[in-house]
Amino acid sequence: LVSRDFHPASTQVRVGPVIIGDGQPPVMMAGPCSIESEAQMLASARIVRDAGATILRGGAFKPRTGPHSFQGLGVEGLKLLRQAGDAVGLPVVTEVMRIGQLEDVCRYADLLQIGARNMQNFDLLKEVGRLRVPVLLKRGMSATIEEFLAAAEYIVAEGNDQLILCERGIRTFETATRNTLDLSVVPLVRQLSHLPIIVDPSHATGRRPLVPVMAQAALVCGAHGLMVEVHHDPAHALCDGAQSLDGPQFARLMGQLAQLTAFL
Ligand code: PEP
Ligand code: MN
């Protein structure tokens, strides 16, 4: 069902007023890794809106590697995300980690994110497939393209074709970057599937200085958009500060991307 052989026309996904897919300008989803407080969320939301992002991100349920790291604010965080999105007029995306969180996440979010660690949580995939809410599916860190598309198939097979794929880097022998950004997946998925695909250069590199250049590279490769972590004060971020852009850096990136897309 996700294959272009079966469905030749490209699928467009609608998130609030934003349309993602072929023939649309690249979407920019941006915001902090984690929702930390009302003030932090609002400051980050203003930064990304003022620079031209059209979807606000923020994690309330965080899949942290260790149990002693900040786990997110949960439902309280969802409310702060919604409040910040409404304050700046942007739809919001946030991660759902398990079926039990779906009701709360659907109440507050416009786009449901399935994180890399849950790409093969088949029960969760089936459940979001039964909803009529757009979904962002991130590639598992060790998933092949075939496995990535098979995971997408679970969602579409239940009737939900409002699905965006996201390349966020894969695990390789290289440790200098957090993950290895597999940009070849972008043209390949565009060829194999009718679903839109975006790139997350923040989790892919783990390093702030690499984010802008890889963001540009992703658009050159044909990505339908980007997801970028932005924090008003990255040095004090509770999660992923090292890969987060601050306000001026994000505004500069948006300027560079505007110049680039004029050529594409
Ligand atoms: C995230 O986007 O906050 C996140 C945890 O990403 P990933 O699932 O790609 O690691
Ligand atoms: Mn993060």
Side-chain angles (χ1 to χ4, degrees):
L1 301 177
V2 302
S3 163
R4 247 194 219 285
D5 297 337
F6 171 78
H7 188 293
S10 297
T11 291
Q12 292 189 330
V13 177
R14 185 179 287 272
V15 179
V18 184
I19 301 174
I20 298 131
D22 277 3
Q24 298 295 323
V27 63
M28 175 60 86
M29 308 182 188
C33 180
S34 305
I35 301 148
E36 301 169 7
S37 69
E38 184 176 353
Q40 171 254 10
M41 200 55 233
L42 197 57
S44 303
R46 290 206 175 106
I47 287 171
V48 305
R49 190 271 320 265
D50 290 350
T54 52
I55 299 181
L56 178 65
R57 68 153 281 153
F61 298 106
K62 296 304 302 178
R64 303 304 301 274
T65 301
H68 306 302
S69 302
F70 177 58
Q71 302 286 308
L73 296 180
V75 176
E76 201 46 47
L78 295 175
K79 292 180 188 168
L80 297 178
L81 175 65
R82 179 81 261 164
Q83 193 182 311
D86 289 346
V88 301
L90 295 183
V92 301
V93 53
T94 197
E95 177 164 354
V96 54
M97 288 170 59
R98 52 185 175 79
I99 290 172
Q101 294 164 350
L102 268 173
E103 199 179 318
D104 284 325
V105 172
C106 287
R107 183 171 310 137
Y108 296 106
D110 302 292
L111 174 62
L112 306 181
Q113 175 173 327
I114 309 279
R117 291 157 192 79
N118 268 316
M119 189 205 82
Q120 288 187 314
N121 182 338
F122 300 115
D123 286 341
L124 182 61
L125 299 179
K126 284 183 197 168
E127 203 60 35
V128 300
R130 291 182 195 121
L131 302 174
R132 292 295 164 266
V133 183
V135 178
L136 176 70
L137 178 66
K138 297 186 90 173
R139 182 182 183 183
M141 59 184 84
S142 300
T144 64
I145 292 172
E146 195 178 340
E147 289 163 342
F148 189 20
L149 292 175
E153 185 78 12
Y154 266 91
I155 296 172
V156 178
E158 294 293 335
N160 190 352
D161 78 337
Q162 290 294 288
L163 177 58
I164 305 162
L165 304 173
C166 180
E167 159 64 24
R168 46 77 73 204
I170 50 174
R171 187 65 63 89
T172 68
F173 58 82
E174 183 57 75
T175 54
T177 47
R178 183 174 178 179
N179 290 286
T180 297
L181 180 52
D182 180 12
L183 280 180
S184 57
V185 76
V186 174
L188 195 52
V189 162
R190 286 186 60 130
Q191 190 184 315
L192 294 172
S193 176
H194 54 88
L195 297 172
I197 178 161
I198 69 166
V199 169
D200 170 352
S202 305
H203 292 90
T205 64
R207 291 169 171 255
R208 183 178 311 123
L210 301 183
V211 170
V213 65
M214 298 317 284
Q216 293 175 73
L219 295 193
V220 170
C221 290
H224 294 101
L226 297 159
M227 171 175 263
V228 172
E229 285 187 342
V230 177
H231 194 285
H232 72 292
D233 182 11
H236 295 102
L238 294 183
C239 181
D240 288 351
Q243 67 194 34
S244 299
L245 303 183
D246 66 16
Q249 289 162 344
F250 182 65
R252 198 173 315 130
L253 169 60
M254 289 299 280
Q256 290 167 344
L257 295 176
Q259 282 192 303
L260 177 66
T261 43
F263 280 103
L264 296 176

